[in-house]
């Protein structure tokens, strides 16, 4: 009886509590007032963020920015891309020069706790690798003792390189070059025996810049874990929530089978998960401070995660990467979104 009374009292108390209201933060408010998103991207990494000759940006990182603009404004085109070097990127977020960093950036403890950033969900699971000329005859990174290796400064790549060679008991000579175009040119000109960065980055360089891609091989070792994720400034939970749930919506849409081409056909779906996702029922958009059709608009204008992956990194792209660990969890990969409910 006592338990029943306590439960009844608890229920009555909960009914008297005021409903939580959305409290926007400075970044959220600034983006909304401006009417567009300023997104920090790379200076040019194929498959992630790179401009064509007309200045049109493409890549998985730029599509994440477009998806956030679609959620915020109902228009994926309301985004401006700012190219940033590895040395510029964190300062640009901290200073407010950009609203968001979506720049093939590794989520690490130091960056999460010491640089004033909050990282959203991982958009690509990667690992650092080495690329060499095939005629060098090298089949393993352990054969690179004494080799000259091209590496960009100011990145986790530089530290991972030193750590790997130290623990392997072999030596190397770094060729440190900051500019992306210059480091690529140096490698293909033969100034270094090997080039190290994320495996996806090497695949992009080989596919788009090598005179003959078949002349180069990416060695099998992955010497690090590189979970690449968008990042925002700390201290604005509303903006952080919108960025995070936008990425999760891309993943959830693929799991639900919702694509840019078929999403309108699902508006009358009897599946309650689909109804909530599309904003037919519930107020999930309102909880984020945006329209309840936010997730529908993302998929309609940008596509789901699988579509974004395929056109930028997958077999339909110059990189021709397999999904691997970037497949959905239902397909043996690591892509998993908490329930949108």
């Amino acid at each position: 009886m006592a338990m029943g009374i306590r439960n009844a009292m608890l229920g009555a108390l909960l009914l008297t509590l005021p409903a939580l209201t959305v409290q926007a933060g400075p970044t959220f408010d600034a983006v909304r007032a401006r009417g567009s998103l300023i997104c920090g991207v790379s200076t040019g990494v194929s498959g992630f963020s790179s401009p064509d000759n007309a200045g049109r940006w493409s890549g998985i990182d730029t599509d994440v920015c477009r998806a956030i603009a679609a959620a915020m404004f109902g228009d994926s085109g309301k985004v401006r891309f700012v190219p940033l070097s590895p040395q510029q990127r964190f300062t640009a977020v901290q200073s407010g020069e950009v609203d968001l960093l979506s720049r093939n950036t590794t989520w690490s403890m130091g960056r999460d706790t010491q640089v004033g950033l909050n990282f959203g969900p991982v958009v690509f699971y990667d690992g650092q690798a080495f690329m060499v000329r095939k005629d060098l005859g090298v089949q393993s990174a352990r054969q690179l003792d004494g080799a000259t290796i091209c590496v960009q400064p100011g990145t986790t790549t530089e530290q991972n390189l030193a750590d790997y060679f130290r623990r392997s008991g072999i030596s190397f000579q770094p060729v440190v070059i900051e500019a992306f175009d210059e480091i690529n040119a140096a490698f293909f000109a033969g100034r270094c025996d090997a080039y190290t960065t994320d495996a996806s980055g090497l695949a992009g360089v080989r596919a788009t810049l090598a005179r003959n891609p078949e002349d180069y091989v990416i060695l099998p070792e992955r010497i690090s874990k590189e979970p690449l994720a968008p990042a925002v400034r700390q201290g604005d939970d509303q903006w952080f929530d919108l960025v995070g749930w936008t990425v999760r919506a891309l993943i959830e849409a693929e799991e639900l089978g919702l694509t840019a081409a078929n999403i309108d056909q699902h508006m009358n779906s009897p599946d309650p998960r689909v109804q909530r996702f599309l904003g037919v029922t519930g107020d999930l958009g309102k909880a984020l401070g945006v329209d309840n059709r936010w997730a529908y608009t993302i998929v309609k204008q940008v596509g789901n995660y699988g579509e974004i992956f395929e056109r930028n990194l997958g077999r339909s792209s110059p990189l021709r990467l397999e999904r691997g660990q970037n497949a959905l969890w239902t397909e043996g990969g690591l892509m998993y979104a908490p329930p949108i409910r």
Side-chain angles (χ1 to χ4, degrees), residues 4 57-58 75 140 172 201 217 228 237 253 310 321 329 340:
W57 287 84
S58 64
D75 184 348
S140 168
F172 73 101
V217 60
L228 309 182
D237 288 348
E310 185 61 27
L321 296 178
W329 68 284
I340 296 180

Side-chain angles (χ1 to χ4, degrees), residues 137-295:
V138 172
Q139 298 179 342
S140 168
R142 292 184 178 275
Q143 296 176 271
L144 294 174
D145 192 7
T148 54
I149 300 179
C150 281
V151 61
Q152 281 187 295
T155 64
T156 55
T157 305
E158 193 176 18
Q159 179 180 342
N160 293 337
L161 174 63
D163 289 349
Y164 176 76
F165 275 80
R166 185 178 299 114
R167 68 175 180 261
S168 299
I170 54 179
S171 64
F172 73 101
Q173 300 176 42
V175 178
V176 180
I177 302 173
E178 179 177 343
F180 184 70
D181 291 342
E182 292 178 14
I183 195 171
N184 294 330
F187 173 69
F188 289 120
R191 285 182 54 192
C192 39
D193 301 312
Y195 181 5
T196 187
T197 188
D198 295 347
S200 61
L202 293 176
V205 168
R206 180 176 62 178
T208 59
L209 299 178
R211 184 171 300 176
N212 182 8
E214 299 304 317
D215 289 341
Y216 298 89
V217 60
I218 298 174
L219 300 179
E221 290 87 356
R222 298 294 180 269
I223 68 170
S224 69
K225 294 184 292 185
E226 305 295 335
L228 309 182
V232 300
R233 283 180 297 282
Q234 292 179 354
D236 192 337
D237 288 348
Q238 184 70 9
W239 182 238
F240 181 55
D241 283 348
L242 182 63
V243 170
W245 284 104
T246 293
V247 175
R248 296 178 188 109
L250 295 171
I251 298 168
E252 181 78 353
E254 183 181 9
E255 185 174 342
L256 292 173
L258 303 174
T259 69
N262 72 19
I263 194 166
D264 287 324
Q265 302 168 20
H266 289 270
M267 292 302 293
N268 295 320
S269 169
D271 188 335
R273 299 173 303 165
V274 174
Q275 291 180 347
R276 286 191 296 267
F277 186 92
L278 298 179
V280 175
T281 61
D283 280 324
L284 295 179
K286 184 178 179 181
L288 290 172
V290 296
D291 188 86
N292 281 333
R293 288 165 63 91
W294 65 284

Side-chain angles (χ1 to χ4, degrees), residues 40-46 49-51 57 82-86 88 103-104 152 178-181:
V41 295
S42 75
T43 53
V45 177
S46 180
S49 51
S50 60
W57 287 84
V82 177
L84 300 169
S85 72
Q88 296 170 326
R103 191 205 174 282
N104 60 301
Q152 281 187 295
E178 179 177 343
F180 184 70
D181 291 342

Side-chain angles (χ1 to χ4, degrees), residues 61 89-90 101-108 111 117 119 198 226-231:
D61 286 337
R89 54 184 166 172
F90 300 135
L101 185 67
S102 185
R103 191 205 174 282
N104 60 301
T105 296
T106 299
W107 181 3
S108 69
R111 291 172 174 176
L117 301 181
F119 283 84
D198 295 347
E226 305 295 335
L228 309 182

